Amino acid sequence: MFSLEYITDSIQHWLYSTFNPTMALLLECLIIILLVTAFFGVLGLVLVLMERKVAARMQIRLGPNRVGPKGMLQTTADTIKLMMKEGLTPDGADKFLFNLAPFIVMIAAMLVLAPIAFAKGFQIWDINIGVLYVSAVSSVSVIGILMAGWASNNKYSLLGAMRSGAQIVSYELSAGLSIISIVVLSGSLQISEIIASQQTGWWLFRGHIPVIIAFVIFIIAVTAETNRAPFDLAEAESELTAGFHTEYSGMKFALFFLAEYINIFIVCAIGATLFLGGWMPLHIGHWKGFNHIMDYIPSSVWFLGKTFFLIFLIMWFRWTFPRLRVDQLLSLEWKYLLPISMFNLLLVTLIAIMGWHF
């Protein structure tokens, strides 16, 4: 299979053959920081444009069509506008926490990116507890949101932050139980081993109906965790103006805006990795001819294709379903999704113990 592994191996060999180990490690970290920062910038531009085009298509209109060919440079123009805007800090706000909050949210998103495998052998950190690491570090972003709401000294910001905190803490339970279902089937917390366990078929197809249920619950839960419609109570414009980032402007607002789309990419990448095989091509049992043909498609194309398919699903939800009330939001989690997830995990465990999966 085509692999990006030789690129990383070549760079690492050159660094360690040219510099001493400490300097080589520092240069590796610097290269990773620059690549992740550039990736976040480009991904933000692409996802915002994709959101607008998907919304336009579903509402039977054109969407961005003025700046650049077919509006392709509209998000670039918006970025330049945000960079030129003055960043204001309200009177009475806790200036240190107010300015720190957007960086907390962005740093959490950058850290979660570490164990994700973008292609075969193309991974920042293949930690042996990758799934646990992602679940733990992704929870840190809620601290930045609560910090932003409280430090703004604005009642609407505080209400939005409290809603977001309650929402994220609640739906993390169902998302976590769905993730554990795949951990039980694969027998590992390591991302690379979970992907390798799907060599003869993705868990979504091999794990029968309980894994399909876990996948549906995971998509619903991560949509709520990322504050996306129809679960965007934290930013309900008709009630809270803009929620926890009401008082933010300029690049500090842009960091919150960018973090939202980066988090969408991350949760979809995790979903694609756990349920759809990550960079692993579509293999069907012992169909050697079919599997060999699928191997010709680059692993990075498989990963990005699956991830952007899930991103499209989440965007589809936004322009299809109306916003829920707060009580409906929490009732859906605590009365329905959580009990179903717990029972479903028992079924998945039974399937794993008995070896009933394909």
Side-chain angles (χ1 to χ4, degrees):
M1 181 192 289
F2 175 81
S3 173
L4 295 174
E5 194 170 4
Y6 71 92
I7 297 176
T8 56
D9 288 344
S10 300
I11 293 173
Q12 186 176 36
H13 176 72
W14 177 78
L15 286 173
Y16 279 90
S17 62
T18 309
F19 304 97
N20 63 66
T22 304
M23 182 58 68
L25 181 61
L26 290 175
L27 289 174
E28 271 189 339
C29 293
L30 180 62
I31 291 170
I32 290 169
I33 290 169
L34 293 175
L35 288 176
V36 168
T37 305
F39 176 73
F40 272 28
V42 173
L43 188 63
L45 296 177
V46 171
L47 290 181
V48 173
L49 181 65
M50 179 180 172
E51 173 95 78
R52 292 177 175 180
K53 289 294 187 181
V54 168
R57 172 66 69 175
M58 293 188 176
Q59 296 170 355
I60 318 179
R61 56 184 178 83
L62 294 176
N65 60 358
R66 299 289 182 185
V67 185
K70 296 186 178 180
M72 300 295 285
L73 298 178
Q74 180 64 57
T75 50
T76 306
D78 292 339
T79 303
I80 295 172
K81 179 194 73 172
L82 286 170
M83 291 175 67
M84 296 176 65
K85 275 191 152 186
E86 182 182 1
L88 301 175
T89 302
D91 291 335
D94 187 317
K95 291 181 174 54
F96 175 72
L97 296 181
F98 182 83
N99 293 315
L100 179 64
F103 293 98
I104 295 288
V105 175
M106 278 300 299
I107 289 169
M110 286 185 172
L111 290 173
V112 174
L113 203 66
I116 296 174
F118 289 85
K120 184 179 182 182
F122 200 78
Q123 191 174 4
I124 296 174
W125 188 22
D126 190 17
I127 185 174
N128 61 351
I129 52 167
V131 172
L132 180 61
Y133 172 87
V134 168
S135 300
V137 175
S138 61
S139 305
V140 175
S141 62
V142 72
I143 297 174
I145 292 173
L146 291 171
M147 190 184 294
W150 183 85
S152 295
N153 193 30
N154 180 306
K155 60 183 178 183
Y156 297 114
S157 298
L158 182 60
L159 281 171
M162 291 174 65
R163 282 185 178 184
S164 181
Q167 185 172 319
I168 291 173
V169 169
S170 299
Y171 279 86
E172 268 184 354
L173 297 171
S174 292
L177 289 173
S178 300
I179 289 172
I180 291 173
S181 299
I182 303 302
V183 172
V184 169
L185 288 170
S186 62
S188 175
L189 289 167
Q190 192 167 352
I191 298 290
S192 58
E193 290 188 7
I194 291 174
I195 295 172
S197 69
Q198 301 178 73
Q199 189 167 2
T200 56
W202 304 340
W203 282 122
L204 184 66
F205 304 131
R206 292 174 55 204
H208 303 291
I209 294 176
V211 175
I212 296 176
I213 294 172
F215 176 71
V216 171
I217 291 174
F218 176 82
I219 293 296
I220 295 171
V222 297
T223 304
E225 277 198 74
T226 50
N227 293 322
R228 295 281 301 178
F231 306 106
D232 59 337
L233 273 300
E235 304 171 19
E237 295 87 356
S238 57
E239 305 167 25
L240 303 177
T241 312
F244 59 89
H245 54 68
T246 297
E247 298 291 353
Y248 285 89
S249 60
M251 280 307 296
K252 284 179 282 191
F253 167 76
L255 287 176
F256 278 117
F257 192 64
L258 178 61
E260 177 184 332
Y261 284 95
I262 297 300
N263 286 329
I264 294 169
F265 176 84
I266 288 170
V267 297
C268 290
I270 295 299
T273 299
L274 298 180
F275 295 94
L276 302 175
W279 55 259
M280 187 69 68
L282 176 60
H283 287 170
I284 301 178
H286 299 289
W287 293 16
K288 293 184 179 179
F290 176 82
N291 295 344
H292 186 64
I293 293 172
M294 292 294 102
D295 286 343
Y296 278 104
I297 301 174
S299 56
S300 55
V301 173
W302 279 108
F303 173 78
L304 292 175
K306 296 170 188 176
T307 302
F308 274 89
F309 169 72
L310 296 182
I311 290 172
F312 171 75
L313 278 183
I314 289 179
M315 290 181 178
W316 192 355
F317 293 162
R318 175 174 183 176
W319 304 107
T320 304
F321 299 111
R323 181 185 297 135
L324 300 178
R325 297 196 313 265
V326 176
D327 61 312
Q328 293 172 331
L329 177 85
L330 296 177
S331 294
L332 174 65
E333 165 62 17
W334 293 101
K335 291 184 179 179
Y336 300 100
L337 293 185
L338 184 59
I340 292 172
S341 298
M342 295 175 70
F343 180 72
N344 194 61
L345 180 59
L346 293 176
L347 291 180
V348 171
T349 305
L350 180 63
I351 288 172
I353 292 172
M354 301 301 293
W356 289 340
H357 54 77
F358 294 118

